[in-house]
Amino acid sequence: MEWFKDAKLGIFIHWGIYSVNGVLESWSFYNGYLPHEEYIKQAEGFTAKKYDPSYWAALIKESGAKYSVITTKHHDGFALWKTNYGHFNAVQNSPAKKDLIAPFVNALREQDLKVGLYYSLADWSYEDYTDFTRKNNRYSISEDPGRWEQFEQYNLGQLRELKKNFDPDLWWFDGDWEHTAGEWKVDEIRSLLSEGNSGVIFNSRLQGSGDYETPEIGLPIHRPGDDYWELAMTMNDSWGYQSNDKNYKTPQQVIDIFVDCISKGGNLLLDIGPKADGTIPEEQETILKELGKWTSKHREAIYGVEKGIPYDYFYGPTALSKDSTTLFLYVRDIPKDGKIVLKGIENKINRIFVVGNGTILNWEVFCKVFWSDYPGITYIEIPENAIDPYYTVIAVQLEGGIKLHE
Ligand code: GLC
């Protein structure tokens, strides 16, 4: 889990036929917002005409992400790679007429980014799958175990293919809630996909049998325990491209959430939803580039850091270097006297500087008296010329590993 824990930022990609009309991915027919045939017809408009996987990978790299996770198949069953299983895929059923996953995986590897594949276990369009829509189930496994077995052979076949063709670093499963671990053959899936790749990582949507938690949209309020976790989040309110959804977070708001994840010891998996022609919507591109400006300046306060200290000691997000001798303070808004306040740190402070800018800062300590071991209150002054447009990050170098006063 080492690379994953240190990576902090990943880019999620939801790309599929739902981007043609800009409707809710898969759920739109499942929930009955449009008939299944109409939904499927979108495949006719899925051209990928301007798809430039090298550009995607370069943009992801520029954002500061260390990995990317792309939908190989969502709940609608449309496969984006060249598959010999099933009937519904980009090569045979859309004007794209090619494997869209292979060149992207290569482009990621060329950029030295880790490869994650999203795969929906549930496949609502497949004729031998149990569930079709919210109101319409095809059959139940107990009624027709043979039919389920057929479906499982199809699903395992696709997974085997993905493994053989791409052998990703990370498997991001979804849609597991419709069946039990036994019905999905989770153990078999895990051992199949781990063959010859013992470091491979699985998210937790395999009926609990995964390596890390995947909260979605809801940023955890409290610092989760010591478990690995990753927040999957949209830039607007949609995973896939929906032209009508203009409810984008600003770059500042995305960075707010990212900093919160870092300070709580987790990763952010930030989603983009490319259009049917393969272009990335302008608003999404802007967010990735702005994020890139901030991440490239603050590398040392992002990658490989550990979760921060309780808010009792600093009114804001923080993180620690692995050896806990550097405390990073993420300052969004500068106080009116230009001074931030740190309390109860027992270590001697050796130096304080602005990350990515280098300015060495002055500090003063109050309420520290000779007759008590109370470490005092530290005021750190941030000069105006050191202020970052998003978050100014202050590195506090301590003598030894951090000791918090109780
Ligand atoms: C949900 C949804 C899905 C989306 C995913 C991303 O489980 O079913 O549409 O792809 O979350 O985390």
Side-chain angles (χ1 to χ4, degrees):
M1 295 301 289
E2 205 57 30
W3 73 260
F4 180 81
K5 181 160 196 277
D6 291 347
K8 304 297 173 197
L9 183 65
I11 301 299
F12 210 177
I13 303 175
H14 275 71
W15 198 28
I17 60 169
Y18 39 82
S19 59
V20 173
N21 294 345
V23 297
L24 182 58
E25 71 287 341
S26 308
W27 293 97
S28 52
F29 73 84
Y30 184 87
N31 287 342
Y33 307 149
L34 90 173
H36 185 249
E37 315 98 74
E38 289 304 314
Y39 180 91
I40 294 298
K41 264 197 210 147
Q42 292 180 99
E44 295 166 15
F46 191 68
T47 65
K49 220 169 28 205
K50 297 185 183 156
Y51 176 40
D52 183 351
S54 311
Y55 180 68
W56 284 21
L59 190 61
I60 291 169
K61 180 89 174 184
E62 186 183 338
S63 76
K66 300 290 182 194
Y67 63 106
S68 182
V69 179
I70 186 166
T71 48
T72 59
K73 180 177 96 168
H74 204 259
H75 317 321
D76 60 11
F78 183 76
L80 273 79
W81 77 101
K82 186 176 183 317
T83 176
N84 293 318
Y85 291 85
H87 53 112
F88 190 38
N89 60 71
V91 184
Q92 289 160 300
N93 306 93
S94 81
K97 282 199 173 41
K98 58 180 180 242
D99 188 323
L100 299 170
I101 299 298
F104 181 59
V105 167
N106 292 338
L108 286 179
R109 293 202 165 123
E110 267 164 36
Q111 292 281 4
D112 206 18
L113 294 165
K114 298 277 184 195
V115 175
L117 298 184
Y118 168 109
Y119 184 84
S120 170
L121 292 166
D123 185 334
W124 297 328
S125 299
Y126 194 69
E127 57 188 10
D128 287 323
Y129 186 66
T130 48
D131 300 58
F132 178 38
T133 65
R134 198 171 284 283
K135 294 200 181 124
N136 197 336
N137 265 27
R138 294 187 179 92
Y139 69 102
S140 72
I141 301 180
S142 55
E143 266 163 37
D144 198 344
R147 194 168 172 192
W148 176 252
E149 196 43 43
Q150 291 226 335
F151 170 76
E152 271 297 274
Q153 287 319 313
Y154 153 74
N155 240 16
L156 289 172
Q158 286 201 325
L159 288 171
R160 241 179 250 121
E161 236 174 21
L162 288 169
K163 155 87 182 159
K164 181 165 162 276
N165 298 357
F166 311 119
D167 203 12
D169 306 291
L170 167 64
W171 288 92
W172 215 101
F173 282 99
D174 199 13
D176 63 338
W177 63 86
E178 285 177 345
H179 293 287
T180 63
E183 286 164 351
W184 290 124
K185 299 193 173 45
V186 161
D187 292 341
E188 196 176 320
I189 290 178
R190 276 198 75 136
S191 68
L192 175 83
L193 302 179
S194 309
E195 255 169 52
N197 185 353
S198 56
V200 69
I201 298 175
F202 296 90
N203 74 340
S204 60
R205 299 191 187 173
L206 264 177
Q207 284 295 4
S209 137
D211 302 315
Y212 70 90
E213 291 304 315
T214 53
E216 177 172 317
I217 312 287
L219 172 65
I221 300 294
H222 303 288
R223 288 193 170 83
D226 285 327
D227 293 341
Y228 300 107
W229 63 276
E230 171 199 65
L231 172 71
M233 195 191 68
T234 51
M235 288 185 174
N236 49 4
D237 295 325
S238 315
W239 297 105
Y241 174 64
Q242 293 192 39
S243 56
N244 212 25
D245 181 355
K246 296 285 180 200
N247 196 25
Y248 281 98
K249 296 162 192 75
T250 62
Q252 175 71 60
Q253 288 160 341
V254 170
I255 297 174
D256 284 344
I257 293 166
F258 181 40
V259 165
D260 215 323
C261 290
I262 297 173
S263 78
K264 292 186 165 98
N267 288 5
L268 174 65
L269 183 64
L270 181 65
D271 184 70
I272 58 171
K275 296 182 186 178
D277 66 1
T279 54
I280 297 173
E282 206 186 316
E283 298 93 330
Q284 303 183 9
E285 203 166 312
T286 304
I287 291 176
L288 293 178
K289 289 187 175 221
E290 286 303 300
L291 195 52
K293 287 184 198 158
W294 190 79
T295 53
S296 64
K297 179 172 166 194
H298 297 102
R299 278 189 200 103
E300 64 175 297
I302 299 173
Y303 309 108
V305 299
E306 302 282 327
K307 69 178 169 196
I309 58 175
Y311 295 119
D312 309 78
Y313 299 87
F314 181 70
Y315 293 147
T318 56
L320 285 161
S321 61
K322 273 210 164 68
D323 62 2
S324 90
T325 61
T326 303
L327 172 65
F328 296 105
L329 311 173
Y330 303 86
V331 185
R332 184 193 202 271
D333 304 305
I334 306 296
K336 58 182 181 301
D337 64 356
K339 292 173 184 174
I340 54 167
V341 184
L342 189 59
K343 291 170 288 178
I345 307 296
E346 292 190 344
N347 311 62
K348 175 176 174 262
I349 293 174
N350 286 337
R351 173 160 290 176
I352 303 181
F353 67 92
V354 181
V355 175
N357 162 290
T359 306
I360 293 181
L361 302 184
N362 300 319
W363 72 93
E364 2 173 47
V365 180
F366 297 102
C367 305
K368 184 172 162 59
V369 286
F370 72 91
W371 44 264
S372 157
D373 63 0
Y374 178 74
I377 301 173
T378 306
Y379 281 77
I380 306 168
E381 193 173 341
I382 306 178
E384 246 169 71
N385 63 2
I387 297 171
D388 182 90
Y390 295 119
Y391 273 79
T392 309
V393 184
I394 309 300
V396 181
Q397 291 185 325
L398 306 168
E399 180 99 357
I402 195 163
K403 282 197 211 86
L404 300 175
H405 191 74
E406 288 305 320

